[in-house]
Amino acid sequence: MDNETLTITDNRTQQTYTIPISRGTIRAMDLRKIKTGPEDFGLMTYDPAFMNTASCQSAVTFLDGEKGILRYRGYPIEQLAEHCTFLEVAYLLLQGELPTSDELANWNCEIGHHMMIHENIKKFMDGFNHDAHPMSILMSTVAALSTFYPEARTVSDAKVRRKQVIRLIAKMPTLAAYAYRHRLGLPYIYPDPELTYAQNYMNMLWRRTEPKYVANPVLARALEVLFILHADHEQNCSTNTMRAVGSSTADPYSTAAAAIAALSGPLHGGANEEVLRMLAEIGTKANIAGFIAQVKDGKRKLMGFGHRVYKNYDPRARIIKQVASEVFEVTGRNPKIDIAMELEKIALSDEYFIKRKLYPNVDFYSGIIYEAMGFKPEQFTVLFGIPRTAGWLAQWQELLQDPEQKIARPRQVYIGEERRDFIPIEERALAAAAIA
Ligand code: ACO
């Protein structure tokens, strides 16, 4: 369209500029030519926390936060959650298409083949305190994988990249399960590639002395669905970290470790753990009104509520509610669900939350399911990190193949001191007193 342009008048100079609009965006670099004179650097945008800045073009995940739509590679999340295995979805994210049955069989086989971890990793894990947070253990051991696979540094080689992608997806459940068993002082259980991705993880977590651990099929499927729902979410905090660190061409293990660090924060993936603590603290329905009053007073946050891009019900939270009822058929009802549902009811009819478009996000109900399945709160974010690895890697691959991408390096607006001369140490107290 010819009129897909933006005309800007700079009132400082009365100059007019016309810049192209493409896919609802203007290029920030087009603003650079808006100058008051040859000495002027040119106009920049100031956007703390990337509230309105697209940092990349991506074909992986589509998200419409106003309408509550989430699609991986064009497929609605609801359909993928109903019909796919997690590894099928991981393949879709990475390859761009759903696998044929032969492709899926090969993919499952390749992942199964790489699930083992080097025995030295076990020694490495033994060094952690028994009460170390599993996310910290996961982050450190993922970073440590770079010492086992030095060839991973050659990120320009597509074959090398693919190998590390497979290794990471395959080894994440193993590392996560070992982190869990280390905490309990239990012997590590080796992966079993005959099992599904979720069943294998459950086996490595919970097998004790029985000759064969058989995961409950409803719980294993529920975990698989939760993995699918968490697999990618476009440019969230941890994915942006993956892209930012990856843009320096660091190896994928160090890069993924950085993404795990970002995910661990309570405002991001760590929220699921905080939701459970919050529900435990509220305790009974009678305490909800008091808690909501504290939230509205700005003294507390309603964890698991609100999202940077969803200004509507998070479609993942809707699916998770359904999964919860299936899980409770097996495990019995987790009483925290009643508090959560009452909290949601009150919040969604309260002016404070309506005005700010605050809805439950993916973390609001996931922890209640995890707890019913037998996971402890400190495991919850690990359960997020395992599947998100597929999304991180899909985005990382896309970044490295995007000819427009370079090392990520934002600009700043400097607000510090102007140039000033050095003051010898013995004169500083006097100089400070003179200023005061
Ligand atoms: N409880 C109470 N008030 C909230 C909440 C909440 N959970 N979330 C946002 N608000 C309020 C803010 O105080 C602010 O109010 P104001 O306009 O009066 O100042 C308004 O809603 C807008 O909130 P922002 O913080 O500006 O929104 P932002 O997009 O920066 O933050 C975030 C999004 C971090 C997710 C926020 O909603 C939050 O902290 N939620 C709780 C933590 C959480 O559940 N995180 C998981 C997110 S999903 C994920 O990462 C997997």
Side-chain angles (χ1 to χ4, degrees), residues 183-248:
R183 209 174 154 84
L184 299 179
L186 290 169
Y188 304 127
I189 302 291
Y190 288 109
D192 180 349
E194 296 289 303
L195 302 174
T196 67
Y197 197 75
Q199 284 168 350
N200 170 54
Y201 180 48
M202 291 162 86
N203 178 51
M204 290 188 291
L205 284 176
W206 289 322
R207 187 169 156 206
R208 294 289 174 108
T209 50
E210 66 273 43
K212 193 146 184 76
Y213 171 87
V214 182
N216 179 294
V218 175
L219 301 188
R221 179 62 201 162
L223 194 55
E224 196 97 359
V225 171
L226 287 161
F227 281 173
I228 292 169
L229 299 182
H230 286 88
D232 194 50
H233 210 234
E234 54 121 296
Q235 306 313 313
N236 56 84
C237 178
S238 54
T239 303
N240 182 53
T241 305
M242 185 85 190
R243 279 182 174 264
V245 178
S247 76
S248 75

Side-chain angles (χ1 to χ4, degrees), residues 267-268 271 295 301-302 304-306 308 352 356 358 361 384:
L267 295 188
H268 188 17
V295 171
K301 256 194 175 175
L302 180 51
F305 254 69
R308 173 59 60 77
Y352 175 94
R356 290 169 179 78
L358 300 172
N361 58 49
F384 194 153

Side-chain angles (χ1 to χ4, degrees), residues 291-303 305-306 343 346-359:
F291 184 82
I292 293 275
Q294 285 188 19
V295 171
K296 286 161 66 176
D297 272 356
K299 293 188 184 127
R300 303 292 300 266
K301 256 194 175 175
L302 180 51
M303 298 310 283
F305 254 69
L343 255 179
I346 294 174
L348 293 186
S349 59
D350 188 295
E351 185 54 24
Y352 175 94
F353 297 89
I354 296 169
K355 205 174 113 203
R356 290 169 179 78
K357 297 189 176 172
L358 300 172
Y359 291 87

Side-chain angles (χ1 to χ4, degrees), residues 38 57 71 103 107 217 229 273 279 340 357 369 409 417 431:
Q57 300 197 42
R71 298 182 200 132
E103 285 165 344
W107 175 242
L229 299 182
E273 189 176 334
L279 294 175
K357 297 189 176 172
I369 306 180
R409 204 307 185 181
E417 297 284 351

Side-chain angles (χ1 to χ4, degrees), residues 90-110:
Y91 183 100
L92 170 70
L93 288 169
L94 286 150
Q95 300 292 124
E97 296 295 339
L98 285 165
T100 62
S101 37
D102 281 353
E103 285 165 344
L104 183 58
N106 281 340
W107 175 242
N108 289 344
C109 187
E110 278 185 293

